[in-house]
Amino acid sequence: MALRIACVLYDGFLLPDVAGPISAFEFAGVVATGGYRIEAVASSARAVRSSAGITINAADYRDLEGCDIVLLPGGISPRDPAAYRDILPFIRESGRLRRRIIALSSGTYVLADAGVLEGRRVVTHWGLAAEFMERFPDVALDVANLFLRDGHIWTCAGINAAIDVALAVIAEDYGAAAAQRTAAGLLMPFRRLATQSQRPALTEAATADGRVTEVLAWAQERLHEPLGVERLAGRAALSIRQFGRAFQRSTGMSPAKAIEHLRVERARAAIEGGARAFDEVADRFGFGSPDRMRRAFLRTIGRTPQQLRREQRLADLRRRRSGGHASQTR
């Protein structure tokens, strides 16, 4: 039985935020039993105009006969709640029913205005981070991660990350093999780490200051060593204050936070690649101890190394028992 996706549209939605993940979900139906049934909905039955000027015909969300997943694209003007005000009741209802909600890029604004993000950690595009934090100071925003799952709510950083989220959801529903075949069909890599997050965006942003770019590249080769801000600033030949300001301006995060994300990213890859001893992983990537590594994982991705390993084992077990497909029981 296909899982039902409601793609929620509003005037000015970003077309790539819809086309990318929908293509992934559509292709998953070719490689996985069940697949997805996708329906576009809006505040009324009408043709909804995207930011590119292309329209998509949508049904009234009130006529929707239930759904498993809500897909919420970003918009060209997330600063203007008037663009999406009429769909907020549906988002609130979906939050109350604990449907899986996937908010793409500035779609996080819609979730925040709907009041469904209380006590949750979310991601949005790094270029929107400062404005988002000012507008929604009570929402815990992570400006580094590519995408993030907190309970039944998924958020992501941008257009390419929207496909990464879709692949992660497909893996959850039908197993890693199905997601991998979907990615291959889309000529996409499978799978970028969630904690790899906005690393390409951070690197590109840092090119405005070559010293920051060089320090990031230098640090990635020395994660096992102490990398305090004093040492990083010295590498850039700047005072600590100058370096901190330049780094924040270029990447949208503090040097300490960036180093922690780099370490978590590499450690997670090692653990998911089969590394057994947490103390060895913690030492290899500069955490100092398994307990410090555990706390860093919780801060960065909201899960411990033990939970990641347990989830992976359970997912493998479910796939073996179901002949390669995750259970669709909800």
Side-chain angles (χ1 to χ4, degrees), residues 3-4 8 12 16 19 100 111 118 132 143 145 147 179 191 202 229 238 267 272 282 289 301 305 319:
L3 298 176
R4 303 186 65 179
V8 185
R100 278 185 290 173
L111 296 188
E118 182 178 355
F132 186 93
V143 297
N145 280 350
F147 62 89
R191 68 182 171 81
L202 288 170
V229 66
L238 293 171
E272 293 184 335
S289 71
I301 62 175
R319 285 194 291 274

Side-chain angles (χ1 to χ4, degrees), residues 123-190:
V123 168
T124 194
H125 191 281
W126 65 269
L128 300 173
E131 179 185 345
F132 186 93
M133 288 186 288
E134 181 177 355
R135 182 165 160 183
F136 306 107
D138 295 331
V139 178
L141 181 67
D142 189 320
V143 297
N145 280 350
L146 186 65
F147 62 89
L148 184 65
R149 178 187 182 180
D150 190 333
H152 64 104
I153 292 179
W154 298 69
T155 53
C156 80
I159 293 170
N160 286 339
I163 300 179
D164 288 294
V165 170
L167 292 173
V169 171
I170 292 165
E172 179 178 78
D173 291 333
Y174 298 107
Q180 191 165 9
R181 290 195 294 271
T182 299
L186 296 173
L187 302 182
M188 286 285 295
F190 180 78

Side-chain angles (χ1 to χ4, degrees), residues 36-61:
Y36 300 90
R37 176 182 171 185
I38 305 164
E39 184 172 0
V41 298
S43 58
S44 61
R46 62 190 177 91
V48 186
R49 185 181 180 87
S50 71
S51 62
I54 295 173
T55 60
I56 294 180
N57 291 327
D60 191 318
Y61 73 78

